[in-house]
C-alpha cells in the first residue's frame, strides 16, 4: 500500500494542475502530502522488516545498508536533475535573469520540474513485485498474530530450508497497550530518547540541506541567481549538491555500515553529534573570514558536517527504534520517532529560511522580513546538535543483543510462564482437596 501510494503520488506531483501559480502549488502540495504519507509508512516498515529478518551479529549493518540506499537515491536525484536540465538547456537556450527576466523562464520550462518529480515513481515501482513476494516477518506472525506454524512456513521459504514450528502449550501473555502506564514504565525513556534525538537531528540536518544553495553562492562556488536562467540554475545546483553528496554524504552512510556492529550505535551517534557541533562552530565563529578568504576551507568543513551526520545520528536514529521496542509496537514506535524527526525538519526548514535572512533590510529577499543572518542561524544549529549529543544518553546501546533481550519480551515470556505454573499448581491443589486426581 505504501509503495503504490508513493508511485501514484510521485506521478500525480508531476501532473499538478491549475490556471494560476497558486493553484498549481496547492495541488502540488496536496500530492506531495500523500507522497510523504507513503514514504512515512515505508520508513518504519523497511527498518522493521530488516531488523526482524537479520541475525543479531550483523543486524546493525543490514539496517544501515537499507538506510544507506538513501545516499544512492540522492545521487540518482542529482543525476536526474542534471540530465533533464542539460537536455532542456541544449534544446531551449534562455538568457540570464538579469538580461531578460521573462525570457529566462520559458513557458516550456514547466516540463523540467514535472519530469524530475515524476521520475521519483520509478524506484518504488521497480520494487513493487519483490515486496509483494516478501512474506510477513516471522516475529510478527509468531509473537503478534500467534501463528507459529505460518511463521515456520514463511521462514522456510525465505531461508530455503526446512524450519519446524515448536508447538508449546498456550500461555497467558502479558498484554499492555501503546501509551499505557506499563508501556511508559518499560519503554517511555527509550521512546523519549529516540524521538528527541531524531527531532533535534532533523532540525539541523534539513536546515543544512535547504541552504546549500545559499552557502555555495556565498563562498563563490555558484554564481548569483540573477546571472543564470531558471533551468541553468537547476543544473548547477543539482551538480553542486551531487558533488557534496558524493564526497561526504554517501561515504558517511557506508562507513556506518562497516563499523556499526564493531563500535556500536551509541558511540557512533555520540561522536556524530559531537563533530557536527564542532564543525558547525568551525563554520560559524570565523564565518566572515572563511567566506571572503578561504572558501575551500568553508566547503570542506560544511561537507564534514554531512559526513558526520551520516556516520552518526542520521543513520543511528533510523536503526535504533527498529531494535528497542517489542514486536507488537516496533513499527509504530519507529513511525512515531520518524514523525518527530519530520516535525523537526519542518521547524528547521521554515525557521532557518526566515532566521537566515540578512539583518539589513536592503539585503532581505522578497517576501521575507529581516532575520539574524546565516552566521547566527548556524550558531543556533550548532546548539541544536549539542542538545542532540546530550539526548543520546537516553538511548541504550543495542549492539549484539537480540531483539527480545532489548524489548524485554524474554522477561515477559518468563513471567507469563511463571504465572502459568502458579495457576496450574493452584488448580492441582484445588482438585486434590476436592478428592480429585492431579497430574503435574
Amino acid at each position: 500500500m505504501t509503495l503504490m501510494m508513493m508511485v501514484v503520488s510521485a506521478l500525480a506531483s508531476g501532473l499538478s494542475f491549475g490556471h494560476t501559480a497558486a493553484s498549481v502549488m496547492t495541488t502540488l502540495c496536496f500530492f506531495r502530502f500523500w507522497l510523504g504519507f507513503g514514504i512515512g509508512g515505508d520508513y518504519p516498515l523497511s527498518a522493521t522488516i530488516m531488523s526482524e529478518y537479520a541475525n543479531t551479529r550483523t543486524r546493525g549493518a543490514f539496517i544501515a545498508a537499507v538506510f544507506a540506499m538513501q545516499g544512492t537515491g540522492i545521487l540518482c536525484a542529482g543525476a536526474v536533475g542534471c540530465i533533464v536540465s542539460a537536455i532542456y538547456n541544449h534544446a531551449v537556450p534562455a538568457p540570464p535573469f538579469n538580461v531578460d527576466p521573462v525570457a529566462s523562464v520559458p513557458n516550456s520550462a514547466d516540463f523540467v520540474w514535472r519530469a524530475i518529480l515524476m521520475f521519483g515513481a520509478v524506484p518504488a515501482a521497480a520494487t513493487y513485485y519483490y515486496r509483494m513476494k516478501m512474506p510477513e516477518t516471522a516475529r510478527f506472525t509468531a509473537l503478534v498474530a500467534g501463528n507459529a506454524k505460518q511463521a515456520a512456513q514463511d521462514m522456510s521459504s525465505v531461508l530455503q530450508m526446512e524450519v519446524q514450528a515448536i508447538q508449546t502449550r498456550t500461555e497467558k501473555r502479558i498484554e499492555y497497550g501503546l501509551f499505557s502506564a506499563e508501556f511508559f514504565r518499560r519503554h517511555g525513556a527509550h521512546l523519549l530518547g529516540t524521538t528527541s534525538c531524531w527531532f533535534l537531528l532533523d532540525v539541523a540536518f534539513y536546515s543544512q540541506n535547504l541552504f546549500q544553495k545559499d552557502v555555495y553562492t556565498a563562498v563563490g562556488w555558484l554564481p548569483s541567481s540573477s546571472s543564470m536562467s531558471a533551468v541553468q540554475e537547476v543544473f548547477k545546483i543539482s551538480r553542486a549538491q551531487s558533488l557534496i553528496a558524493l564526497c561526504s554524504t554517501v561515504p558517511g552512510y557506508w562507513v556506518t555500515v562497516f563499523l556499526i556492529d564493531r563500535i556500536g550505535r551509541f558511540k557512533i551517534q555520540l561522536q556524530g553529534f559531537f563533530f557536527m557541533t564542532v564543525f558547525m562552530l568551525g563554520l560559524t565563529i570565523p564565518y566572515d573570514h572563511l567566506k571572503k578568504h578561504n572558501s575551500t576551507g568553508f566547503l570542506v568543513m560544511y561537507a564534514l558536517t554531512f559526513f558526520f551526520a551520516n556516520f552518526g545520528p542520521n543513520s543511528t536514529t533510523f536503526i535504533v527504534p527498529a531494535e528497542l521496542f517489542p514486536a507488537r509496537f516496533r513499527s509504530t514506535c519507529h513511525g512515531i520517532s520518524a514523525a518527530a524527526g519530520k516535525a523537526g525538519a519542518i521547524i528547521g526548514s521554515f525557521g532557518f529560511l526566515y532566521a537566515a535572512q540578512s539583518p539589513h533590510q536592503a539585503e532581505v529577499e522578497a517576501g521575507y522580513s529581516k532575520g539574524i543572518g546565516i552566521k547566527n542561524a548556524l550558531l543556533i544549529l550548532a546548539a541544536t546538535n549539542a542538545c542532540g549529543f546530550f539526548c543520546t544518553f537516553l538511548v541504550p546501546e543495542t549492539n549484539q543483543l537480540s531483539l527480545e533481550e532489548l524489548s524485554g519480551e524474554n522477561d515477559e515470556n518468563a513471567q507469563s510462564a511463571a504465572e502459568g505454573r502458579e495457576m496450574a499448581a493452584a488448580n492441582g491443589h484445588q482438585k486434590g482437596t476436592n478428592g480429585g486426581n492431579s497430574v503435574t
Side-chain angles (χ1 to χ4, degrees), residues 38-62:
I39 294 172
D42 205 60
Y43 246 69
L45 288 174
S46 297
T48 301
I49 287 169
M50 185 52 70
S51 73
E52 295 189 353
Y53 271 124
N55 63 63
T56 300
R57 186 174 61 84
T58 58
R59 185 180 62 235
F62 274 93

Side-chain angles (χ1 to χ4, degrees), residues 1-16 31-42 114-132:
M1 288 174 64
T2 58
L3 280 177
M4 286 308 299
M5 189 169 290
M6 290 161 65
V7 171
V8 172
S9 299
L11 293 174
S13 295
L15 300 174
S16 299
F31 294 130
R32 300 304 278 183
F33 170 83
W34 288 108
L35 177 64
F37 194 91
I39 294 172
D42 205 60
R114 293 178 184 274
I116 292 172
L117 293 187
M118 292 176 77
F119 192 85
V122 174
T127 60
Y128 185 78
Y129 173 80
Y130 301 100
R131 185 66 67 89
M132 288 292 292

